[in-house]
Amino acid sequence: MTNSVEIRRAERGDMTACAGILNRWIDATPWMPRVHDHADVERFYADTVFAERTVLLAENDGTIAGFLSLSADNHVTALYIDASHRGSGIGTRLIEAAKALSPDELSLWTFEHNREAQRFYERQGFQAVSRTDGDNEEQLPDILYRWRAREMQA
């Protein structure tokens, strides 16, 4: 499946599809509280994510299958894959693209409840470096992960 996947920089017109992927993930995740309604998430993506961050898309046969957003300080602020495309290597491709943009170091937060994401990030070479008891708007415990290029990890 990933052979037909193209990774590209997102354009402003892709914002609605990205917000939709995030909204569907929130709606389908029992432990994830809905802090912002669908329209607020879309506004945030238009006003903040697409305005201030690099957004990479995974497009599969013309359909946006997932996305990653990267801040100027090399922090992955979002990585979401639409449900029908999970498990096909798209997340790995997006992380590889982020590593190409930030070849020395990346960091990201993931929720403690999201064990699948933790396993994924650890397979990608990320290491847990810090934890909180819920110092975020969702008030859920989370984990800070960091990846460093091999020569920097020694």
Side-chain angles (χ1 to χ4, degrees):
M1 180 180 194
T2 55
N3 291 342
S4 62
V5 172
E6 175 190 356
I7 305 297
R8 66 172 175 85
R9 286 196 185 227
E11 300 168 3
R12 194 156 188 85
D14 300 318
M15 180 270 310
T16 300
C18 292
I21 291 171
L22 173 55
N23 275 321
R24 287 189 294 280
W25 180 82
I26 292 169
D27 290 342
T29 305
W31 52 262
M32 184 67 180
R34 166 78 53 195
V35 177
H36 301 282
D37 66 25
H38 287 233
D40 282 343
V41 170
E42 225 173 280
R43 262 190 302 281
F44 177 73
Y45 269 70
D47 298 343
T48 303
V49 176
F50 274 75
E52 300 174 2
R53 300 175 190 155
T54 299
V55 180
L56 302 173
L57 293 181
E59 202 169 43
N60 187 14
D61 295 327
T63 300
I64 296 173
F67 71 96
L68 177 148
S69 67
L70 184 65
S71 64
D73 63 352
N74 304 319
H75 189 80
V76 175
T77 61
L79 173 57
Y80 293 94
I81 311 301
D82 221 1
S84 64
H85 298 277
R86 289 185 199 135
S88 63
I90 289 172
T92 298
R93 297 266 312 271
L94 287 166
I95 286 289
E96 288 170 353
K99 287 176 179 178
L101 291 174
S102 176
D104 295 329
E105 180 176 284
L106 290 172
S107 62
L108 58 86
W109 287 96
T110 193
F111 294 107
E112 190 175 276
H113 291 298
N114 199 345
R115 305 260 192 266
E116 189 175 326
Q118 292 168 44
R119 286 189 296 274
F120 169 77
Y121 293 127
E122 290 166 5
R123 283 193 310 269
Q124 302 306 313
F126 286 79
Q127 296 179 343
V129 295
S130 180
R131 294 175 180 264
T132 77
D133 290 330
D135 186 20
N136 51 58
E137 66 181 352
E138 295 87 358
Q139 298 181 349
L140 294 174
D142 57 0
I143 305 168
L144 177 63
Y145 275 89
R146 182 164 295 125
W147 167 84
R148 289 193 172 139
R150 289 193 193 281
E151 57 273 7
M152 294 179 68
Q153 290 177 359

Short mmCIF file of all heavy atoms in Angstrom, two decimals, residues 1-6 59-60 85 87-91 93:
data_model
loop_
_atom_site.label_atom_id
_atom_site.label_comp_id
_atom_site.label_asym_id
_atom_site.label_seq_id
_atom_site.Cartn_x
_atom_site.Cartn_y
_atom_site.Cartn_z
N MET A 1 0.82 -1.20 0.00
CA MET A 1 0.00 0.00 0.00
C MET A 1 0.86 1.26 0.00
O MET A 1 0.54 2.22 -0.66
CB MET A 1 -0.93 -0.02 1.21
CG MET A 1 -1.84 1.17 1.30
SD MET A 1 -2.89 1.02 2.75
CE MET A 1 -4.07 2.25 2.36
N THR A 2 1.97 1.25 0.74
CA THR A 2 2.77 2.47 0.85
C THR A 2 3.51 2.80 -0.44
O THR A 2 3.99 3.90 -0.58
CB THR A 2 3.79 2.37 2.00
OG1 THR A 2 4.57 1.21 1.81
CG2 THR A 2 3.12 2.36 3.34
N ASN A 3 3.59 1.86 -1.38
CA ASN A 3 4.26 2.16 -2.65
C ASN A 3 3.53 3.26 -3.41
O ASN A 3 4.14 4.00 -4.15
CB ASN A 3 4.38 0.90 -3.51
CG ASN A 3 5.37 -0.08 -2.93
OD1 ASN A 3 6.19 0.29 -2.10
ND2 ASN A 3 5.29 -1.32 -3.33
N SER A 4 2.22 3.34 -3.28
CA SER A 4 1.45 4.37 -3.99
C SER A 4 1.25 5.62 -3.14
O SER A 4 0.52 6.51 -3.53
CB SER A 4 0.11 3.80 -4.43
OG SER A 4 -0.65 3.42 -3.29
N VAL A 5 1.90 5.68 -1.98
CA VAL A 5 1.76 6.82 -1.09
C VAL A 5 2.80 7.87 -1.43
O VAL A 5 3.98 7.57 -1.57
CB VAL A 5 1.89 6.39 0.39
CG1 VAL A 5 1.94 7.59 1.31
CG2 VAL A 5 0.73 5.49 0.77
N GLU A 6 2.34 9.10 -1.56
CA GLU A 6 3.23 10.23 -1.80
C GLU A 6 3.26 11.08 -0.54
O GLU A 6 2.22 11.37 0.06
CB GLU A 6 2.68 11.06 -2.97
CG GLU A 6 3.47 12.33 -3.22
CD GLU A 6 2.79 13.27 -4.20
OE1 GLU A 6 1.74 12.92 -4.76
OE2 GLU A 6 3.32 14.39 -4.38
N GLU A 59 -0.39 11.05 0.99
CA GLU A 59 -1.52 10.98 0.09
C GLU A 59 -1.48 9.63 -0.62
O GLU A 59 -0.45 9.24 -1.16
CB GLU A 59 -1.42 12.12 -0.92
CG GLU A 59 -2.72 12.47 -1.56
CD GLU A 59 -2.60 13.78 -2.34
OE1 GLU A 59 -1.58 13.97 -3.04
OE2 GLU A 59 -3.52 14.58 -2.24
N ASN A 60 -2.59 8.91 -0.58
CA ASN A 60 -2.69 7.60 -1.18
C ASN A 60 -3.77 7.64 -2.26
O ASN A 60 -4.94 7.77 -1.95
CB ASN A 60 -3.03 6.54 -0.12
CG ASN A 60 -2.97 5.14 -0.65
OD1 ASN A 60 -2.44 4.89 -1.72
ND2 ASN A 60 -3.53 4.21 0.09
N HIS A 85 -6.06 3.58 6.91
CA HIS A 85 -4.69 3.54 6.41
C HIS A 85 -3.67 3.15 7.49
O HIS A 85 -2.48 3.06 7.19
CB HIS A 85 -4.30 4.90 5.83
CG HIS A 85 -5.14 5.28 4.66
ND1 HIS A 85 -4.90 4.85 3.38
CD2 HIS A 85 -6.26 6.05 4.59
CE1 HIS A 85 -5.81 5.35 2.56
NE2 HIS A 85 -6.64 6.07 3.27
N GLY A 87 -1.35 1.05 10.02
CA GLY A 87 -0.68 -0.24 9.92
C GLY A 87 -0.06 -0.51 8.56
O GLY A 87 0.40 -1.62 8.30
N SER A 88 -0.02 0.49 7.70
CA SER A 88 0.50 0.28 6.34
C SER A 88 1.85 0.95 6.12
O SER A 88 2.33 0.99 4.99
CB SER A 88 -0.52 0.81 5.33
OG SER A 88 -0.68 2.21 5.48
N GLY A 89 2.47 1.49 7.17
CA GLY A 89 3.77 2.10 7.03
C GLY A 89 3.75 3.60 6.78
O GLY A 89 4.80 4.22 6.65
N ILE A 90 2.58 4.20 6.75
CA ILE A 90 2.47 5.64 6.47
C ILE A 90 3.07 6.46 7.60
O ILE A 90 3.77 7.45 7.36
CB ILE A 90 1.01 6.02 6.18
CG1 ILE A 90 0.60 5.45 4.82
CG2 ILE A 90 0.82 7.53 6.21
CD1 ILE A 90 -0.86 5.60 4.49
N GLY A 91 2.83 6.08 8.84
CA GLY A 91 3.41 6.80 9.97
C GLY A 91 4.93 6.80 9.91
O GLY A 91 5.57 7.82 10.15
N ARG A 93 6.75 6.51 7.21
CA ARG A 93 7.16 7.40 6.11
C ARG A 93 7.11 8.86 6.55
O ARG A 93 7.99 9.65 6.20
CB ARG A 93 6.25 7.19 4.89
CG ARG A 93 6.31 5.81 4.26
CD ARG A 93 7.29 5.66 3.12
NE ARG A 93 7.23 6.70 2.11
CZ ARG A 93 6.47 6.69 1.03
NH1 ARG A 93 5.67 5.67 0.79
NH2 ARG A 93 6.52 7.69 0.17
#
